[in-house]
Amino acid sequence: MLTSNGYQLDERRLGRLVAVPDGERADRDVLRRRLWRDGYLFLTRLLDPATVLEFRRYYFAKTGLADADGRPREVERGAYRAVLFGEIVPGPEYDALCRQQALRGWFEWFFGAEVFLHRRKIIRHTAPGENGIGTATQAHYDLVYLREGTDQVLSAWIPLGDCPVERGGLTYLEGSHHRVRREEAEGRLKRPAASITADLPALAEQYDARWLVADYAAGDVVIHTAHTVHAALDNVDQVMRLSTDIRYQPAALDVDARWQHDWHDQDGL
């Protein structure tokens, strides 16, 4: 049984995220068409798993949130937040993870241009058993938070460690970017920036679409457009879920200046 924010997903409205086949990985035109069609690119093993797992160990050692196996520990919230926003988010280890050649180089190749990484980069963790509205990322599409820049920005969601479905990974609403693009073109812009809903089953019915899920592994990356509706599942495993989401775009296009500061959960974005 899969849930998100406590809402149980309907099995009739579930599907699997499809990874890009190895034979298509080096064909940029095919990948661009695939991204336009599906709204996402599921790239397995894009990153070195050892690099990802090294950062995972660093994160939990610094914050104390989990042991080496990812099992949760009790920590004082104030101390944890001080480390997260004062040391980890602005730190060189996190920056190196997000700018590693396997990632930045892929975006340069895909865009065929110099790229720009938004400074506001987000790290999320979900402990086992957390549920109810407000615990998992609610359904949304990224453009509503990036109105002051180009809509050609692409997000990379990176599981920091293995993330089987039960650990609460990201889920994508199949084909949702086509509807969002139409509504955006018609001027039905969602303002102010806000999530669509926590009720994923109802949204699937509204869109007549499936929520796509996957068992992610360390080294996997999912690239999605700014129009693709996505959300997170609840963690019903015994291990902490850790992930990051970052955004690249062609450097020559307009940049949302609000996203050029280190992330903080009280920054109003």
Side-chain angles (χ1 to χ4, degrees):
M1 182 181 71
L2 300 180
T3 64
S4 178
N5 289 290
Y7 289 95
Q8 183 176 342
L9 275 65
D10 186 341
E11 290 187 1
R12 297 174 301 121
R13 292 291 187 184
L14 282 177
R16 301 294 296 187
L17 209 64
V18 178
V20 176
D22 289 344
E24 296 183 8
R25 297 273 291 248
D27 192 323
R28 186 166 52 190
D29 291 335
V30 168
L31 289 184
R32 288 173 174 171
R33 290 195 295 270
R34 190 181 186 97
L35 181 64
W36 178 264
R37 182 193 71 197
D38 297 341
Y40 71 87
L41 296 172
F42 181 16
L43 300 169
T44 58
R45 309 178 309 279
L46 180 65
L47 309 181
D48 181 356
T51 300
V52 173
L53 293 174
E54 180 181 4
F55 183 83
R56 179 182 176 85
R57 288 190 292 269
Y58 159 78
Y59 181 90
F60 287 142
K62 290 285 288 185
T63 63
L65 283 168
D67 64 18
D69 296 321
R71 298 188 181 277
R73 288 174 168 167
E74 292 292 331
V75 297
E76 198 278 314
R77 179 173 171 78
Y80 148 69
R81 289 172 58 81
V83 170
L84 175 60
F85 297 117
E87 299 181 39
I88 296 177
V89 169
E93 294 85 357
Y94 186 35
D95 192 62
L97 176 79
C98 298
R99 294 181 187 274
Q100 60 181 287
Q101 180 58 29
L103 193 57
R104 184 183 183 90
W106 185 91
F107 278 103
E108 289 174 338
W109 170 79
F110 184 79
F111 283 124
E114 181 182 354
V115 296
F116 178 82
L117 170 64
H118 288 250
R119 183 171 173 181
R120 186 177 189 267
K121 308 182 294 293
I122 303 171
I123 306 176
R124 305 181 193 273
H125 73 266
T126 307
E130 292 183 351
N131 57 35
I133 295 176
T135 55
T137 301
Q138 300 183 24
H140 68 285
Y141 60 97
D142 291 348
L143 187 60
V144 297
Y145 301 100
L146 291 155
R147 289 275 185 225
E148 296 180 14
T150 178
D151 68 353
Q152 299 306 301
V153 61
L154 292 180
S155 297
W157 183 78
I158 307 169
L160 298 175
D162 293 344
C163 187
V165 171
E166 60 269 19
R167 200 165 292 172
L170 221 58
T171 179
Y172 291 86
L173 189 56
E174 189 174 29
S176 56
H177 59 301
H178 297 300
R179 174 168 172 166
V180 169
R181 283 185 180 276
R182 288 195 300 271
E183 293 179 350
E184 288 279 332
E186 293 166 0
R188 289 187 276 167
L189 309 181
K190 190 172 182 59
R191 294 180 184 272
S195 297
I196 300 171
T197 181
D199 189 345
L200 269 57
L203 192 63
E205 291 296 330
Q206 179 184 336
Y207 274 63
D208 190 21
R210 302 181 300 170
W211 285 104
L212 305 179
V213 301
D215 292 306
Y216 304 106
D220 293 351
V221 178
V222 185
I223 311 294
H224 62 259
T225 77
H227 302 89
T228 306
V229 176
H230 54 286
L233 301 175
D234 294 331
N235 184 353
V236 295
D237 196 16
Q238 302 300 313
V239 175
M240 189 80 76
R241 185 269 249 190
L242 186 66
S243 67
T244 185
D245 45 288
I246 65 176
R247 286 147 191 91
Y248 273 96
Q249 67 170 72
L253 301 182
D254 291 341
V255 171
D256 192 326
R258 301 170 303 158
W259 281 65
Q260 308 322 310
H261 305 279
D262 290 326
W263 166 65
H264 193 287
D265 62 359
Q266 303 297 318
D267 62 15
L269 296 174

